[in-house]
Amino acid sequence: MKAKKQGFITQDEWRRGLKALEANSLEKLQRALPALEREVMRPSNFKDFYAFAFRYSLTEERQKTLDIGSICLLLKIVLGSQFRPQVDSFTQYLQMQKEYKVLTFDQWMGFYQFCNEISFPDLNNYDDQLAWPLVLDSFVEWIRQKNN
Amino acid sequence: MGSQKKRNFQIEAFKHRVVVDPKYADKTWKILEHAIHEIYNHNASGLSFEELYRNAYNMVLHKFGEKLYSGLVSTMTSHLKDISKFIEAAQGGLFLEELNRKWADHNKALQMIRDILMYMDRTFIPSTHKTPVHELGLNLWRDNIIHSSKIQTRLLNTLLELVLRERNGEVINRGLMRNIIKMLMDLGSSVYQEDFEKPFLEVSADFYRVESQKFIECCDCADYLKKAERRLNEEMERVSQYLDAKSEVKITNVVEKEMIANHMLRLVHMENSGLVNMLLDDKYDDLGRMYNLFRRVPNGLSTIREVMTSHIRDTGKHLVTDPERLRDPVEFVQRLLDEKDKYDRIIGSSFNNDKTFQNALTSSFEYFINLNPRSPEFISLFVDDKLRKGLKGVSEEDVEIILDKVMMLFRYLQEKDVFEKYYKQHLAKRLLSGKTVSDDAERSLIVKLKTECGYQFTCKLEGMFTDMKTSQDTMQGFNSAHGADLGDGPTLAVTVLTTGSWPTQPSITCNLPTEMLALCEKFRSYYLGTHTGRRLTWQTNMGTADIKATFAKGQKHELHVSTYQMCVLMLFNNADRLSYKEIEQATEIPASDLKRCMQSMACVKGKNVLRKEPMSKDIGEDDVFFVNDKFTNKLYKVKIGTVVAQKETEPEKQETRQRVEEDRKPQIEAAIVRIMKSRRVLDHNNLIAEVTKQLQSRFLANPVEIKKRIESLIERDFLERDNVDRKLYRYLA
């Protein structure tokens, strides 16, 4: 729908979205929903969706970061079905640590890449000398320390 | 019939019809054979060269060259066989002598025979590809004498035995040896090599193997090396005296291998006498000997270098981590300089100024100096000490030498920016207290730092010097403008510091005494009158004061004190006793500074212008202070609490370290932006590498810190990550 503000859908946005779905009745909308869900789950689309989820959650004009609480909730919704263990572990870490009070968009996207590329929970192919955001370096270190 | 043949007119050579006496050849040969006998029997004087030559000439001419040649071969061979028996029969030492004599004879004979048979040598022999006379003579000698079964082995053994005797210290007949060896060489290089050189080398290897084993068990390293050197020289001399020059490199290789290469590690690590001990005791000769010997063998020098390097690193590591040594920074640095001098001398006198050794020394120092994070601070303190008093009375050249040595240590530092911070602090104190021994020395050091690190490093330091000069001018202006007003009041000397150039100081509260307030205000308005748009803040923690004091018994003294101390003392003009709390309230000086200042006036012998109750060393909240009526000092002028640069306390150190870290952040960011601006797109690892390289001359950048800065720059939209490959960064214009 390309809705601009989280929690708010303008009438225009609503109209535009439903027109794209070709749903002009409630039944058609209902039928369209499962297809939509499948659509979203396609990896090429999912990344966009994932990015959108972050930006959509920014409520203020100039806001560029999301507080930890919102991040945790959002992760559960968006990635919870695909990457349950990573999401659980990361949210636990975020809530426990004190250094980061918010996460940036760059860190948000970094976590998605992390889930896709890094084997979990062994983390064998994680190299902190690479370009991973520092918050993930600290996260991995925390896991490794816990396991020892 | 009747063909008319045209006949060519021919002139035919006149043929001399010689009577070919069938016995001619035999007769002629008999003459020559006889001559050869005579020659060998030392009866050549009775022969006519001309006649013999003619006979040989004729034989060849009349196609009897073959007979002549084969006759020569068999005659000479039979003579040689006789000679061989003669030589074989010689006893003991005469063997070689006889061989030598007979060889000389043979050569003489050969020469004469060759002369007689020269025509055959020049015509018949080349055309029939036979061996020329002289060479034939040598070959026959070789085959019949040298390679005769009874002589060959005996000759070799005799020669080798003589060499062995000489190696064991006996004197042998070198002239004889030389002749015999030369004989072998004349007979052909393969004869020399097979019949002498090869066995000689083998036997020598065995000899030196045994000897070196014996020596290494009973000698210490230096002695062993002396012996090895001696043997080496001996062999070289032997070659020059009586062997083929080409043998020199071969025999020296044998000695080098057996005596040096095989025992290299054992020698170097020998307890109590090995390389490390030599280094510790500055044994220049022994070290030089070791260097010269080891450079001859593969890995010799690298072995020495490795052991030296690890030794220096170890000693260095202990030096910089030993708490005893760290108590006195000046001594600590001096010890480092001494260590460097020591090894410079060793490398200079014993190791031929070998560049690889110098590099090893440099890298060792770089390694251990940076093990102690306080090294930059200590080096700055060392310089501070020198510039305050250490260089007093030292000649200009010596000053340069010391400063150059300090620069050398500076170059080894990884965290040059930490040094800069401390240097600035110490320089500030020196300048403000007027305690520098030589302005020239100060400037000279700044120039050296500029050469090493560039203008950036020193421009602020130079600013400090400028401020000092400008302040003098300002004071002149102030005094001439207001001098008359001051009259008998206190005099003021102000140094105006440009904020950016001097070490940052937090602004501290301090209430100046009323006696000073008016004067200070006068200066402030004077200055601001001539410099608009500026703001002045009194730096009370950096000032000093000279106060005239009169004590109860009439003693008068002039006290040189810090500004804080002045504020405290002036209070006693209006009160006889003051409690700590009262002083604190009146002056508003921060507690830690105030306590230190009170301590220096009440608890230090000879400087106790104040008396404290109770008399404890520490300052308590409830302490009470009085002027010390019993104060005495031999001198009229008394210095109390000079502001000297000292080793930082733990909390101060933490603070400085933090400030350095803070200063590094913008430098890292600037480097990142510079690099990204020029490259546009760059991957993570390369970016880290480039940034580290750029900052290398100031400090070693921490990759985690660089990562933090990158992320911060992404946040602020200076950079972005590539959408597809998140390892790549892109510069955002």
Side-chain angles (χ1 to χ4, degrees):
Chain A
M1 270 191 238
K2 301 197 193 357
K4 279 220 193 88
K5 208 162 164 192
Q6 182 188 41
F8 294 83
I9 305 177
T10 66
Q11 196 175 30
D12 280 332
E13 288 165 350
W14 176 261
R15 272 214 199 98
R16 206 185 323 131
L18 259 57
K19 202 166 178 193
L21 281 179
E22 290 173 11
N24 50 13
S25 72
L26 205 56
E27 296 92 35
K28 281 202 189 151
L29 182 58
Q30 263 178 311
R31 258 179 277 143
L33 281 178
L36 266 182
E37 205 174 325
R38 275 196 303 277
E39 178 86 9
V40 149
M41 293 311 271
R42 279 226 307 262
S44 51
N45 292 338
F46 188 79
K47 192 172 173 195
D48 292 336
F49 171 68
Y50 181 78
F52 166 77
F54 184 91
R55 293 206 196 95
Y56 182 66
S57 308
L58 300 172
T59 52
E60 306 308 312
E61 213 16 84
R62 297 274 191 84
Q63 189 180 358
K64 291 171 97 180
T65 57
L66 268 183
D67 64 279
I68 294 295
S70 305
I71 293 278
C72 291
L73 285 173
L74 205 58
L75 279 177
K76 283 207 181 82
I77 298 174
V78 166
L79 288 184
S81 51
Q82 264 187 67
F83 298 110
R84 194 57 197 275
Q86 288 93 321
V87 168
D88 281 347
S89 183
F90 191 49
T91 48
Q92 187 189 9
Y93 169 71
L94 285 177
Q95 280 159 341
M96 180 225 67
Q97 58 82 39
K98 296 199 179 49
E99 195 183 337
Y100 297 94
K101 302 235 170 28
V102 296
L103 283 194
T104 65
F105 180 67
D106 181 55
Q107 289 161 327
W108 172 259
M109 294 309 292
F111 181 68
Y112 178 65
Q113 192 182 10
F114 175 87
C115 290
N116 275 310
E117 288 182 19
I118 301 297
S119 74
F120 198 85
D122 57 272
L123 305 170
N124 278 340
N125 58 339
Y126 187 86
D127 181 1
D128 64 3
Q129 297 293 321
L130 294 178
W132 295 106
L134 272 174
V135 65
L136 291 178
D137 288 345
S138 312
F139 170 54
V140 165
E141 203 186 309
W142 173 77
I143 294 183
R144 284 183 176 153
Q145 271 180 357
K146 250 202 331 175
N147 290 345
N148 282 352
Chain B
M1 290 229 294
S3 44
Q4 280 275 334
K5 259 201 206 153
K6 197 68 193 258
R7 258 225 167 117
N8 284 334
F9 187 55
Q10 282 180 303
I11 297 181
E12 292 187 10
F14 180 73
K15 280 206 179 70
H16 175 77
R17 294 267 315 208
V18 170
V19 173
V20 187
D21 183 348
K23 293 243 183 357
Y24 169 74
D26 286 331
K27 269 199 256 165
T28 319
W29 168 244
K30 276 275 174 314
I31 298 172
L32 288 166
E33 193 186 18
H34 172 76
I36 293 177
H37 284 312
E38 291 296 86
I39 289 172
Y40 271 105
N41 293 334
H42 305 110
N43 269 343
S45 50
L47 300 173
S48 157
F49 173 78
E50 196 270 329
E51 183 197 330
L52 295 168
Y53 182 90
R54 203 176 358 108
N55 277 313
Y57 174 88
N58 280 333
M59 276 194 81
V60 175
L61 199 64
H62 295 300
K63 311 277 187 250
F64 288 111
E66 189 59 50
K67 184 177 170 71
L68 178 59
Y69 192 85
S70 52
L72 170 67
V73 173
S74 54
T75 313
M76 204 179 270
T77 305
S78 87
H79 268 285
L80 289 175
K81 283 202 160 48
D82 288 340
I83 292 174
S84 174
K85 285 205 187 57
F86 190 81
I87 293 172
E88 285 161 26
Q91 296 290 338
L94 292 174
F95 172 71
L96 272 193
E97 283 182 33
E98 282 306 324
L99 179 58
N100 186 34
R101 202 172 303 137
K102 292 295 176 214
W103 164 253
D105 288 347
H106 174 69
N107 272 312
K108 260 197 238 124
L110 194 50
Q111 179 137 349
M112 282 189 245
I113 295 170
R114 208 269 315 267
D115 287 344
I116 292 170
L117 302 180
M118 191 163 309
Y119 185 72
M120 177 183 74
D121 222 12
R122 292 224 178 120
T123 55
F124 173 75
I125 281 174
S127 61
T128 51
H129 305 294
K130 289 208 195 302
T131 316
V133 173
H134 181 81
E135 196 185 324
L136 174 67
L138 294 181
N139 290 349
L140 289 177
W141 175 271
R142 173 196 66 202
D143 297 336
N144 290 297
I145 310 273
I146 302 301
H147 286 168
S148 112
S149 58
K150 294 225 176 66
I151 292 184
Q152 188 169 26
T153 320
R154 188 174 169 189
L155 172 60
L156 176 62
N157 288 345
T158 312
L159 292 175
L160 292 180
E161 203 209 306
L162 283 173
V163 168
L164 177 63
R165 297 227 305 255
E166 195 179 48
R167 284 181 177 150
N168 286 334
E170 281 182 47
V171 176
I172 63 168
N173 186 342
R174 284 183 156 186
L176 180 57
M177 284 290 281
R178 185 169 32 241
N179 290 344
I180 299 289
I181 297 290
K182 185 145 191 324
M183 169 188 78
L184 293 176
M185 284 161 66
D186 288 344
L187 292 176
S189 62
S190 66
V191 175
Y192 173 74
Q193 279 168 15
E194 295 302 319
D195 286 293
F196 173 72
E197 197 190 46
K198 264 207 202 114
F200 164 71
L201 292 172
E202 270 172 37
V203 161
S204 304
D206 290 336
F207 175 81
Y208 283 115
R209 194 171 306 129
V210 168
E211 184 170 89
S212 67
Q213 195 58 43
K214 193 172 67 172
F215 284 168
I216 202 115
E217 300 290 340
C218 70
C219 297
D220 70 20
C221 182
D223 273 342
Y224 181 95
L225 291 176
K226 284 201 188 91
K227 287 184 161 53
E229 190 184 54
R230 201 178 323 135
R231 280 303 191 195
L232 208 52
N233 289 338
E234 227 181 77
E235 291 303 325
M236 290 196 279
E237 209 230 342
R238 175 164 297 115
V239 171
S240 74
Q241 288 293 312
Y242 57 78
L243 298 182
D244 182 4
K246 289 204 219 31
S247 296
E248 183 178 304
V249 66
K250 295 180 200 174
I251 183 63
T252 47
N253 278 351
V254 166
V255 179
E256 286 156 9
K257 175 164 176 287
E258 297 300 331
M259 292 207 86
I260 304 172
N262 286 353
H263 299 284
M264 212 159 60
L265 289 172
R266 189 163 166 184
L267 284 168
V268 158
H269 292 294
M270 208 178 258
E271 237 181 272
N272 298 329
S273 65
L275 176 62
V276 172
N277 301 82
M278 290 186 195
L279 290 172
L280 287 171
D281 296 335
D282 291 323
K283 298 270 190 221
Y284 299 130
D285 284 339
D286 293 334
L287 288 166
R289 186 168 299 113
M290 184 184 265
Y291 181 83
N292 283 328
L293 288 175
F294 276 50
R295 86 201 299 193
R296 290 163 166 272
V297 301
N299 296 329
L301 290 187
S302 61
T303 305
I304 299 182
R305 202 170 43 236
E306 271 162 38
V307 174
M308 182 187 86
T309 303
S310 77
H311 170 70
I312 297 178
R313 280 183 190 218
D314 269 346
T315 356
K317 193 163 161 194
H318 281 128
L319 243 169
V320 305
T321 47
D322 179 2
E324 272 301 307
R325 294 235 176 261
L326 297 176
R327 287 223 207 130
D328 181 356
V330 177
E331 201 204 288
F332 169 80
V333 174
Q334 187 59 51
R335 185 76 176 76
L336 290 179
L337 291 176
D338 291 342
E339 196 72 4
K340 180 72 167 55
D341 276 344
K342 175 193 170 85
Y343 282 99
D344 279 341
R345 264 197 302 270
I346 289 179
I347 295 178
S349 18
S350 306
F351 294 158
N352 201 26
N353 270 322
D354 189 319
K355 206 114 232 279
T356 58
F357 280 78
Q358 279 173 344
N359 291 346
L361 179 61
T362 302
S363 80
S364 302
F365 264 75
E366 275 169 1
Y367 163 74
F368 68 73
I369 259 190
N370 291 302
L371 288 179
N372 184 343
R374 296 194 86 164
S375 292
E377 185 197 346
F378 285 7
I379 295 178
S380 180
L381 284 170
F382 177 83
V383 171
D384 183 75
D385 178 80
K386 290 287 169 223
L387 289 170
R388 273 176 189 272
K389 43 182 161 73
L391 292 177
K392 200 173 180 143
V394 176
S395 76
E396 221 177 281
E397 301 153 355
D398 288 341
V399 165
E400 285 297 302
I401 292 176
I402 293 181
L403 292 181
D404 283 334
K405 287 194 183 160
V406 170
M407 281 311 294
M408 190 182 53
L409 286 184
F410 170 77
R411 252 175 241 124
Y412 296 148
L413 287 175
Q414 252 170 12
E415 301 195 296
K416 295 187 170 66
D417 59 342
V418 175
F419 174 85
E420 186 194 358
K421 217 174 204 57
Y422 283 110
Y423 186 75
K424 227 191 200 182
Q425 282 173 17
H426 300 155
L427 176 63
K429 290 194 180 132
R430 280 201 301 279
L431 288 175
L432 293 176
S433 58
K435 281 271 185 308
T436 183
V437 122
S438 153
D439 247 352
D440 287 338
E442 294 273 4
R443 291 209 176 267
S444 170
L445 187 56
I446 303 274
V447 168
K448 289 185 207 291
L449 285 170
K450 181 147 78 174
T451 316
E452 187 67 29
C453 302
Y455 171 71
Q456 286 280 43
F457 199 91
T458 53
C459 62
K460 294 210 179 124
L461 301 174
E462 285 174 355
M464 290 161 79
F465 283 92
T466 315
D467 280 347
M468 298 299 295
K469 182 80 182 27
T470 315
S471 297
Q472 279 177 342
D473 296 338
T474 309
M475 283 315 296
Q476 264 185 344
F478 176 69
N479 283 329
S480 56
H482 291 281
D485 310 342
L486 299 176
D488 280 329
T491 48
L492 192 60
V494 182
T495 318
V496 182
L497 316 177
T498 313
T499 312
S501 305
W502 295 74
T504 40
Q505 300 284 349
S507 45
I508 301 181
T509 50
C510 171
N511 293 337
L512 294 173
T514 35
E515 293 88 333
M516 294 304 303
L517 277 177
L519 185 55
C520 292
E521 269 316 297
K522 241 199 192 107
F523 179 84
R524 181 196 290 276
S525 35
Y526 167 77
Y527 186 84
L528 292 175
T530 44
H531 300 91
T532 46
R534 292 193 187 178
R535 205 171 48 171
L536 287 181
T537 322
W538 290 110
Q539 299 288 304
T540 46
N541 56 339
M542 287 164 112
T544 57
D546 290 318
I547 308 184
K548 288 206 175 77
T550 311
F551 293 84
K553 301 216 176 102
Q555 328 89 299
K556 288 197 203 281
H557 288 280
E558 189 175 297
L559 307 172
H560 180 81
V561 294
S562 70
T563 305
Y564 288 159
Q565 289 162 338
M566 171 197 69
C567 297
V568 172
L569 288 176
M570 296 302 278
L571 294 174
F572 285 92
N573 273 343
N574 301 322
D576 283 332
R577 75 182 291 252
L578 288 164
S579 71
Y580 175 81
K581 282 226 172 61
E582 289 171 314
I583 298 175
E584 195 178 20
Q585 256 177 345
T587 58
E588 287 190 38
I589 295 174
S592 59
D593 295 306
L594 183 57
K595 286 199 175 130
R596 251 193 305 183
C597 139
M598 298 310 296
Q599 256 178 339
S600 58
M601 290 193 290
C603 309
V604 179
K605 192 164 169 237
K607 319 268 174 159
N608 46 342
V609 289
L610 294 180
R611 193 166 46 85
K612 177 170 90 80
E613 274 167 21
M615 299 245 286
S616 52
K617 265 257 164 200
D618 296 319
I619 308 290
E621 295 278 318
D622 300 316
D623 288 359
V624 183
F625 294 86
F626 307 83
V627 174
N628 183 5
D629 294 322
K630 297 211 189 88
F631 175 75
T632 55
N633 196 299
K634 286 184 290 185
L635 306 166
Y636 170 66
K637 289 195 182 168
V638 182
K639 252 191 256 192
I640 304 185
T642 32
V643 186
V644 175
Q646 272 168 339
K647 202 171 63 161
E648 279 188 325
T649 59
E650 199 50 44
E652 283 173 339
K653 195 177 75 172
Q654 299 285 13
E655 217 195 296
T656 310
R657 167 67 41 176
Q658 226 176 339
R659 265 187 259 150
V660 167
E661 293 297 335
E662 279 307 309
D663 284 346
R664 285 180 181 176
K665 287 184 181 158
Q667 292 177 63
I668 298 177
E669 288 195 353
I672 296 173
V673 171
R674 248 194 323 266
I675 292 166
M676 289 306 299
K677 194 165 180 188
S678 85
R679 306 290 215 97
R680 294 282 139 183
V681 180
L682 194 56
D683 71 279
H684 180 81
N685 288 348
N686 276 324
L687 180 57
I688 301 273
E690 286 283 332
V691 170
T692 311
K693 201 164 79 155
Q694 267 205 20
L695 295 170
Q696 204 181 0
S697 62
R698 282 187 63 76
F699 60 89
L700 191 60
N702 181 349
V704 171
E705 199 52 51
I706 301 178
K707 224 189 199 184
K708 264 202 201 137
R709 294 295 107 220
I710 293 175
E711 284 185 18
S712 168
L713 288 170
I714 292 177
E715 256 316 280
R716 284 136 63 198
D717 293 326
F718 280 89
L719 305 176
E720 67 175 2
R721 261 189 232 269
D722 184 87
N723 221 345
V724 178
D725 182 359
R726 295 185 64 73
K727 269 199 320 294
L728 280 180
Y729 299 109
R730 191 171 286 113
Y731 180 70
L732 294 173

